[in-house]
Amino acid sequence: AQSSVTIYGLFNVAVMKSNSGTANITQLVPGAAGNIWEMRQFGTSRLGFRGNEDLGGGMSAQFTMEHRFNPDDGAQNNASSFWSGRSFVQLTQAGVGSIYLGRDYTPIFWVQLKTDPFGNDGLAQSGSAATYAGYTTPASPAALGGARAPNSIGFVSASFGGFVGRATVALSEGTQTGRIMGLAGEYTAGPLYAGVGYETVKDGVADGLGLVNVGVSYDFGVAKVMGYYGRSQTRTAGTTRGENTNHVWALGGTAKVGPGLAKAMYYKIDPRFANNTRQKLGLGYDYLLSKRTNLYVEAAFGKEDARTNKNAYGFGVKHTF
Amino acid sequence: AQSSVTIYGLFNVAVMKSNSGTANITQLVPGAAGNIWEMRQFGTSRLGFRGNEDLGGGMSAQFTMEHRFNPDDGAQNNASSFWSGRSFVQLTQAGVGSIYLGRDYTPIFWVQLKTDPFGNDGLAQSGSAATYAGYTTPASPAALGGARAPNSIGFVSASFGGFVGRATVALSEGTQTGRIMGLAGEYTAGPLYAGVGYETVKDGVADGLGLVNVGVSYDFGVAKVMGYYGRSQTRTAGTTRGENTNHVWALGGTAKVGPGLAKAMYYKIDPRFANNTRQKLGLGYDYLLSKRTNLYVEAAFGKEDARTNKNAYGFGVKHTF
Amino acid sequence: AQSSVTIYGLFNVAVMKSNSGTANITQLVPGAAGNIWEMRQFGTSRLGFRGNEDLGGGMSAQFTMEHRFNPDDGAQNNASSFWSGRSFVQLTQAGVGSIYLGRDYTPIFWVQLKTDPFGNDGLAQSGSAATYAGYTTPASPAALGGARAPNSIGFVSASFGGFVGRATVALSEGTQTGRIMGLAGEYTAGPLYAGVGYETVKDGVADGLGLVNVGVSYDFGVAKVMGYYGRSQTRTAGTTRGENTNHVWALGGTAKVGPGLAKAMYYKIDPRFANNTRQKLGLGYDYLLSKRTNLYVEAAFGKEDARTNKNAYGFGVKHTF
């Protein structure tokens, strides 16, 4: 039961420029002004602490606390949550699974992450903001939401013949919040990954909102191909349950090209009513200096009904420790 | 004089429920709503860094900086002070004692802590908020107060035949603050602990407020018994010095039962004037997975003149690293 | 490419008193009230993480993230930037130099720092606030400014026969900011250090503001002597470019005296128009307990046209880890 704390983290800093188009190409890095060179992070930089304790009999305890920050100015990324990345304590029984308590990703996130060639990094990513099709995990306070939920009690199974199950309940806290229930099943066999996720809100405030998503990837060796589909229930004030049913499709892949990795992604979101179909093409190339450090270039092209085309490009460095 | 930094910390997360009673059973975890299951921390989770440097001749230097956070959402616990737990630098002469400068607990805290069977953790604790009998260490800014004082110059003696003395002056800073003077004497001999503490405020703003406390514990082997008495001077706006003299009694203990530790505590506060006597009974059981990790259940029952009974229960996990 | 993270930091806490004089003796620790003893930090206390990765072929990657805090109350020093000290990722080619991206000091800082006997610490320092002669590196948000710039792309050369060059561009971000260009050349040969720096703002908002500075130091063995000159362009609202040209001279030194180090510094700022010439004399003595830990005393005496003399003194402890 000796203490052992591991420090880990990531710096991801880029210089980018975009035109002044109005199409929403989530995740163009938020706040980027048009037509000037700016320094932005292309993935949330982080500093984390984690530990493991062997409790005997196949049982163990873990903790993870992960801070997110903006390396360009040194500010914490989420003003409401210093440890906004992850903050949980976990008990694990080998061959069965883990139960965790705290703040972490909800199950649908993992299905989305593993079929996004950019891994939710950079301006070329599809990213959970788009591939959740307008649905956002509720949270308290609101600023803590997104792909994670505070107040979570979660279970992640061990791998049973390549199958892993996930289940989470995120408890309410006061009235501005949502009790979330989430499920996911993931299957990995050699080059194949397939996952399906489900999340719904039940707390009398945002009942019925949620997301179903499906993701598949296959690694052909020279290239890895990824497909994703999501169907969300969202709502604007005063509307009925499930009035907005949005669909999103994404297709992407990565390929080893020369000394690095080429990446491409395309998605299309088709909300139910409005004339607001949105498309984005993202391209990128990572030049690997080591397993931990790479230089990259990225470009993104967005199109949206009734808006002008938006494009952006940038280059940067990603360093993991 | 080689640098050596130790990382330490604690996760303490629980799920709890309380009824809608109105009695104040400090420390029912603040903000807990009635009649719903909520995730709360039962002791402030923390991440700390500390180091020691041997200066030769029995002299050494230490530092401690201890961050407190809420693991359920990843937010820092005290919005005004990231290192709200402890933040001091210290010089130690072996056989004499230590002088520290910075933010730390005042002497009365240690007498209270060592005679609280719950160690100021969880909803069943008596805790300094109750056992200070309404007195709160002033601080600048106010949000930094409680059991600690910023701007402290403190001395902790070495052990002289089991006796340890403590003395602190916490300097004022502007007008909204209080210069605190605190003293404590602690005696430990085998199974016996006895402590007495004193704190008073002298800055022309809150003069005469303070606390005297006495605590005793005795470890009989199968069980440890603890007794505590505190007498505070508090004041509400417009009243004369010492108008409110509050008394608090607490009795508690811990016992090894099966694979864990049972805990119980009872306190009664009797403020001088108003019809507002308050009582609380706290019960708990720790199931030890290791020296560093345990599961627990706790329950608390509160009664207060002119208010309805309040009770609460919860279970959780505590993991130290 | 193995990960290796180094933790480092500093506690610097002092107790000080000043009279109620009105002369501005920057850096008298900000906010210090007159005629009472107060606890203050005499150099921003810090906790940092840094790492290095060998990429082969003389190439390597580094990161540094440095938090600044106030040890007297545990609060972060800069409310807008947790990692306000430094926050950058860097690529280095041995024999050529390093390129970094993020938040760091601008080139003029290093010329100033290396010719300040107090190293920008304590109430007796000249410090960049004075020796920049009223010029402050713009930043976004403003609170992030001072001697550092966010959004920096910088280059630091390797040493070529004792000569090191520095160049930085700090990109704008929105309208309240400034694109900075900075240069410095530094030469070190045995006991001699000589540096010259230049910084200017070009973004259509604060165009033409800037600083030229020159610093020299020579180590005679028993004592080290330092001289500094700075010429700034500053402006108040509604005035023309370069209307205020300020000059600052500083002279200082350090000497080994007994078991410690004596320090002295004098500066004089002569702004162009107003009757506001300002002078300061700073004195200090460090008693070294080890290479990492010292006790110190400091005093400062300030004089300013049309104001009453200000003086201050204090003592404290500085502990590096």
Side-chain angles (χ1 to χ4, degrees):
Chain A
Q2 175 56 37
S3 176
S4 68
V5 177
T6 301
I7 303 177
Y8 69 95
L10 165 64
F11 268 81
N12 190 341
V13 190
V15 176
M16 62 160 287
K17 196 171 182 177
S18 63
N19 75 348
S20 54
T22 57
N24 176 4
I25 54 168
T26 327
Q27 290 276 341
L28 179 63
V29 184
N35 297 319
I36 65 163
W37 284 103
E38 290 195 308
M39 182 170 291
R40 294 287 177 178
Q41 60 176 348
F42 266 29
T44 316
S45 296
R46 64 200 68 172
L47 174 71
F49 300 87
R50 66 181 165 226
N52 180 69
E53 181 193 15
D54 185 352
L55 296 169
M59 202 172 185
S60 58
Q62 292 82 34
F63 76 90
T64 296
M65 48 199 303
E66 188 177 298
H67 167 61
R68 298 297 183 102
F69 70 102
N70 305 341
D72 49 341
D73 61 10
Q76 72 187 64
N77 183 253
N78 182 325
S80 304
S81 178
F82 188 83
W83 306 100
S84 61
R86 312 178 84 175
S87 165
F88 62 83
V89 60
Q90 177 175 279
L91 292 174
T92 298
Q93 180 64 48
V96 179
S98 303
I99 290 176
Y100 62 87
L101 298 174
R103 172 179 172 80
D104 200 11
Y105 301 104
T106 55
I108 51 171
F109 172 78
W110 299 103
V111 174
Q112 183 272 323
L113 174 72
K114 290 175 186 176
T115 52
D116 180 339
F118 291 90
N120 288 335
D121 273 355
L123 58 75
Q125 67 175 296
S126 50
S128 65
T131 50
Y132 283 10
Y135 167 74
T136 302
T137 295
S140 165
L144 299 181
R148 305 174 187 86
N151 304 315
S152 292
I153 308 169
F155 174 74
V156 186
S157 79
S159 174
F160 291 94
F163 180 83
V164 170
R166 296 175 184 272
T168 293
V169 175
L171 297 173
S172 301
E173 190 169 300
T175 55
Q176 298 302 312
T177 65
R179 188 172 76 252
I180 296 165
M181 299 182 62
L183 294 169
E186 297 182 277
Y187 180 73
T188 310
L192 174 71
Y193 168 84
V196 55
Y198 171 72
E199 183 170 314
T200 189
V201 183
K202 298 242 175 189
D203 69 343
V205 175
D207 284 6
L209 303 195
L211 179 76
V212 176
N213 62 4
V214 181
V216 178
S217 82
Y218 196 91
D219 191 343
F220 292 96
V222 291
K224 194 173 177 179
V225 177
M226 296 163 179
Y228 176 88
Y229 168 71
R231 177 180 175 282
S232 71
Q233 302 284 97
T234 66
R235 192 170 45 198
T236 43
T239 60
T240 328
R241 171 185 162 160
E243 187 164 356
N244 300 327
T245 304
N246 304 325
H247 300 268
V248 60
W249 287 91
L251 194 65
T254 61
K256 288 168 193 151
V257 176
L261 196 68
K263 300 173 178 179
M265 178 283 310
Y266 167 80
Y267 73 68
K268 182 174 182 176
I269 301 180
D270 186 8
R272 192 177 176 190
F273 289 121
N275 181 25
N276 55 3
T277 298
R278 204 167 89 209
Q279 299 171 75
K280 179 181 175 180
L281 174 66
L283 301 172
Y285 185 75
D286 289 355
Y287 179 84
L288 308 178
L289 295 172
S290 77
K291 285 176 91 164
R292 297 207 286 125
T293 305
N294 65 266
L295 305 175
Y296 58 80
V297 291
E298 290 189 8
F301 307 90
K303 224 177 132 168
E304 187 172 355
D305 290 350
R307 298 196 172 194
T308 58
N309 291 354
K310 178 91 180 176
N311 58 59
Y313 48 96
F315 57 92
V317 58
K318 180 174 175 177
H319 176 61
T320 305
F321 59 90
Chain B
Q2 176 56 38
S3 176
S4 69
V5 177
T6 300
I7 304 176
Y8 69 94
L10 166 64
F11 268 81
N12 191 341
V13 191
V15 175
M16 62 161 286
K17 196 171 182 177
S18 64
N19 74 348
S20 54
T22 58
N24 176 4
I25 55 168
T26 324
Q27 288 278 339
L28 179 63
V29 184
N35 297 320
I36 63 162
W37 284 103
E38 290 195 308
M39 183 170 290
R40 294 287 177 179
Q41 59 175 348
F42 267 29
T44 317
S45 295
R46 64 201 69 172
L47 174 70
F49 299 87
R50 66 181 165 225
N52 180 70
E53 182 192 17
D54 184 353
L55 296 167
M59 201 172 186
S60 57
Q62 292 81 33
F63 76 90
T64 296
M65 49 200 301
E66 187 177 297
H67 167 60
R68 299 296 183 104
F69 70 102
N70 304 342
D72 49 342
D73 61 9
Q76 71 187 66
N77 184 250
N78 183 325
S80 304
S81 177
F82 188 84
W83 306 99
S84 61
R86 312 178 84 174
S87 164
F88 62 82
V89 59
Q90 178 175 277
L91 292 173
T92 298
Q93 179 63 49
V96 178
S98 303
I99 290 175
Y100 63 86
L101 298 174
R103 171 178 175 81
D104 201 11
Y105 301 103
T106 55
I108 52 171
F109 172 79
W110 300 102
V111 174
Q112 182 273 323
L113 174 73
K114 291 174 186 176
T115 53
D116 180 340
F118 291 90
N120 288 336
D121 274 355
L123 57 77
Q125 68 176 296
S126 51
S128 64
T131 49
Y132 281 11
Y135 167 73
T136 302
T137 296
S140 165
L144 300 181
R148 305 175 186 86
N151 304 314
S152 291
I153 308 169
F155 173 75
V156 186
S157 79
S159 175
F160 292 93
F163 180 84
V164 170
R166 297 175 184 272
T168 294
V169 174
L171 297 173
S172 302
E173 189 169 301
T175 55
Q176 299 302 314
T177 66
R179 188 173 74 252
I180 296 164
M181 299 183 62
L183 295 169
E186 297 182 276
Y187 180 72
T188 309
L192 174 70
Y193 168 84
V196 55
Y198 171 72
E199 183 170 315
T200 189
V201 183
K202 299 241 175 190
D203 68 344
V205 175
D207 284 7
L209 303 194
L211 179 77
V212 177
N213 62 4
V214 182
V216 178
S217 82
Y218 196 90
D219 192 343
F220 292 96
V222 292
K224 194 172 176 179
V225 177
M226 298 163 178
Y228 177 88
Y229 168 72
R231 178 181 175 282
S232 70
Q233 302 285 97
T234 65
R235 192 170 46 198
T236 44
T239 61
T240 327
R241 171 186 163 159
E243 187 165 355
N244 299 328
T245 304
N246 304 326
H247 301 267
V248 60
W249 286 92
L251 194 65
T254 61
K256 287 168 193 154
V257 176
L261 197 68
K263 301 173 177 179
M265 178 282 312
Y266 166 80
Y267 73 68
K268 183 174 182 178
I269 301 179
D270 186 9
R272 192 177 175 191
F273 288 121
N275 180 25
N276 55 3
T277 298
R278 203 167 89 209
Q279 299 170 76
K280 180 181 175 182
L281 175 66
L283 300 172
Y285 185 75
D286 289 356
Y287 178 84
L288 309 177
L289 295 172
S290 76
K291 285 176 91 163
R292 297 206 285 126
T293 306
N294 65 265
L295 305 176
Y296 58 79
V297 291
E298 289 189 7
F301 308 90
K303 225 176 133 169
E304 187 171 356
D305 291 350
R307 298 197 173 194
T308 57
N309 290 355
K310 178 93 179 173
N311 59 60
Y313 48 95
F315 57 92
V317 57
K318 181 175 175 176
H319 176 61
T320 306
F321 58 91
Chain C
Q2 177 55 37
S3 175
S4 68
V5 177
T6 301
I7 303 177
Y8 68 95
L10 165 65
F11 270 79
N12 190 340
V13 191
V15 176
M16 63 161 286
K17 196 171 183 178
S18 64
N19 75 349
S20 54
T22 58
N24 175 5
I25 54 168
T26 323
Q27 291 277 342
L28 179 63
V29 184
N35 297 320
I36 64 163
W37 284 103
E38 290 194 308
M39 181 169 292
R40 294 286 177 178
Q41 61 175 347
F42 266 29
T44 317
S45 295
R46 65 202 68 173
L47 174 70
F49 300 87
R50 66 179 166 226
N52 180 69
E53 182 192 17
D54 185 351
L55 296 168
M59 201 172 186
S60 58
Q62 291 82 34
F63 76 90
T64 295
M65 47 199 303
E66 188 177 297
H67 167 60
R68 298 296 184 103
F69 70 101
N70 304 341
D72 50 340
D73 61 9
Q76 70 187 65
N77 184 251
N78 182 326
S80 305
S81 179
F82 188 84
W83 305 99
S84 61
R86 311 179 85 175
S87 164
F88 62 82
V89 59
Q90 178 174 278
L91 292 173
T92 298
Q93 179 63 50
V96 178
S98 303
I99 291 176
Y100 62 87
L101 298 175
R103 173 178 173 80
D104 200 13
Y105 302 104
T106 56
I108 51 173
F109 172 79
W110 299 103
V111 174
Q112 182 273 324
L113 173 73
K114 290 174 186 175
T115 53
D116 180 339
F118 291 90
N120 288 336
D121 273 355
L123 58 75
Q125 68 176 297
S126 51
S128 63
T131 49
Y132 282 13
Y135 167 74
T136 301
T137 296
S140 163
L144 300 180
R148 305 174 187 86
N151 304 314
S152 291
I153 308 170
F155 174 74
V156 186
S157 79
S159 174
F160 292 93
F163 180 83
V164 169
R166 297 175 184 272
T168 293
V169 175
L171 297 173
S172 301
E173 190 170 302
T175 57
Q176 299 301 314
T177 67
R179 186 171 77 251
I180 297 164
M181 299 182 62
L183 294 169
E186 298 183 275
Y187 180 72
T188 309
L192 174 71
Y193 167 84
V196 56
Y198 171 72
E199 182 171 315
T200 188
V201 183
K202 298 242 174 189
D203 69 343
V205 175
D207 283 7
L209 303 194
L211 179 76
V212 176
N213 62 5
V214 182
V216 178
S217 83
Y218 196 91
D219 191 343
F220 292 96
V222 292
K224 194 173 176 180
V225 177
M226 298 164 178
Y228 176 88
Y229 168 72
R231 177 182 176 282
S232 71
Q233 302 284 97
T234 66
R235 190 171 46 198
T236 44
T239 61
T240 328
R241 173 188 160 156
E243 186 164 356
N244 298 330
T245 304
N246 303 326
H247 300 269
V248 60
W249 287 92
L251 194 65
T254 61
K256 287 169 192 151
V257 177
L261 197 69
K263 302 171 177 180
M265 178 283 312
Y266 166 80
Y267 74 68
K268 183 175 182 176
I269 300 180
D270 186 9
R272 192 176 175 190
F273 289 120
N275 181 24
N276 55 5
T277 297
R278 205 166 88 208
Q279 299 170 76
K280 179 180 175 181
L281 175 66
L283 301 171
Y285 184 75
D286 289 353
Y287 179 85
L288 309 177
L289 295 172
S290 77
K291 286 177 91 164
R292 297 206 285 126
T293 305
N294 65 265
L295 304 175
Y296 58 79
V297 291
E298 290 189 7
F301 308 90
K303 225 176 133 169
E304 186 170 356
D305 290 351
R307 298 197 173 195
T308 58
N309 290 356
K310 178 92 181 174
N311 59 59
Y313 49 94
F315 58 92
V317 57
K318 180 176 176 177
H319 176 62
T320 305
F321 58 90

